[in-house]
Amino acid sequence: MTKFHGTGVAIITPFNDDLTIDHTALANLVDFNIENGTNYIVICGTTGESVTITKHEKQAIVKTIITANQGRVPLVLGIGGNNTATTVEEIMTTDLSSIDALLSVSPYYSKPTQEGIYQHFKAIAEASPIDIILYNVPGRTSSNMSPETTLRLALDFKNIIAVKEAGNNVHQYLKLLRDKPDDFLIISGDDDLVLGVVLAGGAGVISVLGQAVPKQFTKMINLGLEGRAKEAYKIHFELMDLTALIFSENNPAGIKAVLEALGLSKSTVRLPLVMATDALKENTKSALKTLGALD
């Protein structure tokens, strides 16, 4: 399971001005990340605006990324939702031959009990022919998957290999790290907390910011995995302002503003999201210049 150690990025879906998918920018972003050290790529997650992507668009996105990747790094595909039957059907009808794992979000809106969350993921685990990374993001789902439920799933299903924990809750991270099975991975989904998580025993990150500054971000994570805290925190402190900025309005509008400043894609998003304000765009440019990532 070393393939999911290090830096994964939750890649955006770039749009043209007319809101069609910019497949050229997407392929270029894949190359940019791989060439600068990103360890694996997550497709059609939250940052990929998965909730406003059609089924056919999702298939085209996956095809573009597989073609651009050429087998260089592992690929993770987001398949999840709050309708268990629909999620299972999508898993069973999707060609997963070039995908290394699924990222499946804990059910949202319905606010299931912990037993409901367990049964949802049990159905997914039994249907999936490949490994599964659970995704806990209570700030979006309005339902926290407790450490006890996560670890119960980890123990009961061999193909549930990891959790992307994005509760922004240090205590919950530490409970997971303390009690997890040896071969179960705790992957941070919080760019601001990831270094502390890695130093405490976490496997790495599925990052938003990492796709814009992959060289610096990957170096920070690798230093953390090596226990070189002082050197890693130097980079963490350098990235702090930009990390805060990209989440200050909404995600992925913030990271798209950064990628536009870097000339990698446009900042266009689909409603109900709106593009980053001019003020945020200027602030992200200033932060990039301070980092030396922009002239």
Side-chain angles (χ1 to χ4, degrees), residues 5 11 27 41 63 86 103 124 143 147 153 158 168 207 218 223 227-228 232 239-240 263 284 294:
H5 282 81
I11 202 163
I41 291 171
K63 183 178 179 181
T86 301
L103 178 70
I124 288 171
S143 172
L153 287 161
K158 290 183 179 179
N168 214 256
S207 173
T218 301
L223 287 168
R228 296 161 66 179
L239 295 174
M240 273 180 63
T284 56
L294 194 65

Side-chain angles (χ1 to χ4, degrees), residues 32-63:
F32 173 71
N33 271 269
I34 295 172
E35 290 167 3
N36 285 284
T38 294
N39 299 112
Y40 61 98
I41 291 171
V42 178
I43 309 165
C44 290
T46 305
T47 306
E49 293 176 71
S50 56
V51 294
T52 52
I53 298 294
T54 70
K55 178 180 178 180
H56 294 298
E57 285 175 330
K58 187 172 184 178
Q59 292 170 345
I61 289 165
V62 171
K63 183 178 179 181

Side-chain angles (χ1 to χ4, degrees), residues 80-100:
N82 62 342
N83 183 327
T84 306
T86 301
T87 303
V88 167
E89 181 183 13
E90 183 177 352
I91 291 169
M92 295 180 73
T93 57
T94 298
D95 179 4
L96 300 173
S97 58
S98 297
I99 303 299
D100 295 270

Side-chain angles (χ1 to χ4, degrees), residues 79-80 84 87-89 91-92 96 102-105 116-134 149-150 152-162 184:
I79 299 182
T84 306
T87 303
V88 167
E89 181 183 13
I91 291 169
M92 295 180 73
L96 300 173
L102 300 179
L103 178 70
S104 197
V105 68
I117 293 170
Y118 176 88
Q119 293 296 334
H120 171 83
F121 281 119
K122 176 184 177 183
I124 288 171
E126 290 174 344
S128 178
I130 61 175
D131 289 336
I132 297 162
I133 300 171
L134 308 174
T149 299
T150 298
R152 182 183 171 198
L153 287 161
L155 289 168
D156 287 354
F157 301 99
K158 290 183 179 179
N159 61 339
I160 295 180
I161 63 164
F184 187 74

Side-chain angles (χ1 to χ4, degrees), residues 16 19 26 30 63 69 82 99 105 107 121 124 156 219 221 237 271 274-275 289-290:
N16 296 301
L19 297 181
L26 181 59
V30 170
K63 183 178 179 181
N69 181 42
N82 62 342
I99 303 299
V105 68
F121 281 119
I124 288 171
D156 287 354
K219 184 177 181 181
I221 297 300
F237 294 142
L271 288 169
V274 294
M275 285 195 294
K289 287 177 182 177
T290 300

Side-chain angles (χ1 to χ4, degrees), residues 4-277:
F4 300 119
H5 282 81
T7 302
V9 297
I11 202 163
I12 65 157
T13 299
F15 298 127
N16 296 301
D17 290 332
D18 63 0
L19 297 181
T20 58
I21 295 169
D22 186 344
H23 287 277
T24 300
L26 181 59
N28 289 340
L29 189 57
V30 170
D31 280 334
F32 173 71
N33 271 269
I34 295 172
E35 290 167 3
N36 285 284
T38 294
N39 299 112
Y40 61 98
I41 291 171
V42 178
I43 309 165
C44 290
T46 305
T47 306
E49 293 176 71
S50 56
V51 294
T52 52
I53 298 294
T54 70
K55 178 180 178 180
H56 294 298
E57 285 175 330
K58 187 172 184 178
Q59 292 170 345
I61 289 165
V62 171
K63 183 178 179 181
T64 293
I65 292 176
I66 289 171
T67 301
N69 181 42
Q70 296 183 328
R72 288 178 288 175
V73 299
L75 300 178
V76 177
L77 178 61
I79 299 182
N82 62 342
N83 183 327
T84 306
T86 301
T87 303
V88 167
E89 181 183 13
E90 183 177 352
I91 291 169
M92 295 180 73
T93 57
T94 298
D95 179 4
L96 300 173
S97 58
S98 297
I99 303 299
D100 295 270
L102 300 179
L103 178 70
S104 197
V105 68
S106 186
Y108 48 85
Y109 188 77
S110 303
K111 294 187 178 180
T113 63
Q114 294 301 308
E115 184 61 27
I117 293 170
Y118 176 88
Q119 293 296 334
H120 171 83
F121 281 119
K122 176 184 177 183
I124 288 171
E126 290 174 344
S128 178
I130 61 175
D131 289 336
I132 297 162
I133 300 171
L134 308 174
Y135 181 17
N136 184 42
V137 56
R140 290 185 180 273
T141 64
S142 296
S143 172
N144 182 50
M145 182 164 60
S146 71
E148 290 77 15
T149 299
T150 298
L151 298 174
R152 182 183 171 198
L153 287 161
L155 289 168
D156 287 354
F157 301 99
K158 290 183 179 179
N159 61 339
I160 295 180
I161 63 164
V163 61
K164 177 187 176 184
E165 177 64 34
N168 214 256
N169 183 326
V170 173
H171 181 69
Q172 184 150 304
Y173 273 118
L174 293 176
K175 283 188 72 175
L176 287 165
L177 289 165
R178 182 190 67 186
D179 298 337
K180 73 178 187 71
D182 289 342
D183 58 353
F184 187 74
L185 306 181
I186 309 302
I187 300 170
S188 177
D190 297 305
D191 282 353
D192 56 341
L193 297 182
V194 60
L195 182 54
V197 173
V198 168
L199 288 166
V205 67
I206 294 175
S207 173
V208 176
L209 180 60
Q211 66 196 291
V213 285
K215 191 172 289 185
Q216 297 99 312
F217 208 97
T218 301
K219 184 177 181 181
M220 177 186 74
I221 297 300
N222 289 343
L223 287 168
L225 289 169
E226 294 167 10
R228 296 161 66 179
K230 186 174 182 179
E231 296 164 84
Y233 268 112
K234 183 177 185 299
I235 301 172
H236 172 84
F237 294 142
E238 293 170 352
L239 295 174
M240 273 180 63
D241 290 345
L242 189 57
T243 302
L245 283 169
I246 66 167
F247 296 108
S248 63
E249 293 184 358
N250 69 61
N251 179 47
I255 188 62
K256 283 192 165 183
V258 173
L259 293 168
E260 183 176 72
L262 293 170
L264 290 166
S265 70
K266 294 182 180 293
S267 60
T268 318
V269 293
R270 286 179 174 175
L271 288 169
L273 300 182
V274 294
M275 285 195 294
T277 60

